[in-house]
Amino acid sequence: MASVTSSTPTGLVPWLLQRITGALLVIWIAAHFIFWHFDKASEGQLDFAMVSGTALTRGAGGYIWEMILAGLCVYHGLNGVRNIVYDYVVDKTKVSWLTPLLWIVGIAGFLLIGYHLAQFQVGH
Amino acid sequence: MATVSVFRFDPELDERGYFDDFHVPDREGQTVLEALFHILEHEDGSIGFRYACRGAVCGSCAMHINGRYRLSCATQMADLGDKVVIRPLYHMPVIRDLVVDMDKFFEKYERLRPWLVNETPLGDKERLQSPEDRAKLDKLVDCILCACCQASCPFTQTDPEYIGPALLLKLDRFYSDSRDLATADRIEAGDTEHGVWRCHTAYNCIEVCPKDLNPTASIARLKGAAIRRQFTGRVE
Ligand code: SF4
Ligand code: SF4
Ligand code: FES
């Protein structure tokens, strides 16, 4: 039987990535809650000073871990916005500008989070 | 005696729809369709509704009855209590009273080529199919195109071009048929922004289907086929 692959966007990739990021977020957010809100919070006041001074946010591993969480949140949230718009707009060509715009917003947001988290590395 | 509130709308006379109340005497075994006939014959001859087979086979008499999409010929008045509210199917333009315009629904249906595509010579017998392959179609061929599921889906409202649960189930009916050779086309027909990816798995369609069919499972099957095709090139 014929083998066909299409390069035209059909909604498949955003749909699939929404599920994958959703599943990963369950793991990452659970770990985030367990670590910060139960484990660390029991050690004292959970505030900016504590988060920035904790080994998790100051080591490279912790930085990568938190940045993965940030990436998942940004992608999942903005892809959700795209989905809602695509649900309501009948002529999808009218919103072809939306996906590039959301990518720009997403990358900018991700870099901003990365910049602020990196401040913890130098001991703020 | 039941009070039956019927949605009324005549585009030539009315700016907006309203409800008329009628009183229908109880009768054992009376269906909602028969109650509408009672109204037509004894109270108001101008009331508009669709029907054909009266036996839950043709799908023409689907309506929104007491908060649920149902076939009026297969719904007993006795099961509905003293107050019955009947509206036309949602998400489709009302032509008059309980009659909706299904042109768009059938246009979309036709675009899916709802027939077996198989150009190979037939030979001197019908195309054979194993019992196992036929069993895959058991539920799928039961769809009567009543459009209850189509009207219940939130996304046929937000995107009127969305193929919708009824027609995606029909697409699956041909995709899953071992005799059909247009498998790649079937997958491609569902793999669009107005296709399977618009479904948010809200399950309304399964809830309302009078034939107990599962359009969501059909949509999931078509999604799986599209993902396999996209990443492995396999058309199956
Ligand atoms: S499961 Fe999908 S097709 Fe069925 S009602 Fe929900 S969104 Fe619509
Ligand atoms: S799937 Fe069920 S509700 Fe939908 S059109 Fe077919 S019979 Fe009607
Ligand atoms: S009249 Fe045919 S399904 Fe009800």
Side-chain angles (χ1 to χ4, degrees), chain A:
Chain A
M1 209 167 278
S3 163
V4 186
T5 45
S6 159
S7 55
T8 325
T10 62
L12 183 155
V13 173
W15 181 89
L16 191 61
L17 286 178
Q18 192 71 351
R19 267 82 207 150
I20 293 171
T21 52
L24 291 175
L25 272 172
V26 172
I27 301 168
W28 254 258
I29 289 178
H32 172 90
F33 269 100
I34 290 167
F35 183 81
W36 290 112
H37 295 268
F38 301 123
D39 193 18
K40 285 286 158 197
S42 65
E43 289 175 17
Q45 180 77 14
L46 183 60
D47 56 13
F48 186 81
M50 180 201 238
V51 173
S52 63
T54 301
L56 180 81
T57 51
R58 298 188 63 182
Y63 182 74
I64 292 168
W65 178 265
E66 293 295 320
M67 284 308 289
I68 291 173
L69 176 60
L72 292 172
C73 288
V74 169
Y75 184 89
H76 196 78
L78 294 180
N79 197 32
V81 171
R82 177 198 175 277
N83 225 344
I84 293 166
V85 173
Y86 271 60
D87 280 345
Y88 280 87
V89 177
V90 180
D91 181 356
K92 315 297 182 205
T93 58
K94 284 195 179 135
V95 285
S96 51
W97 49 267
L98 182 69
T99 305
L101 177 73
L102 291 174
W103 270 108
I104 293 168
V105 171
I107 289 169
F110 181 73
L111 292 177
L112 197 66
I113 297 168
Y115 170 76
H116 285 291
L117 267 184
Q119 304 305 304
F120 297 167
Q121 305 291 308
V122 289
H124 284 269

Side-chain angles (χ1 to χ4, degrees), chain B residues 33 51-61 71 73 144:
Chain B
L33 185 62
Y51 72 98
C53 71
R54 296 184 175 207
V57 177
C58 72
S60 345
C61 69
L71 297 177
C73 72
I144 56 172

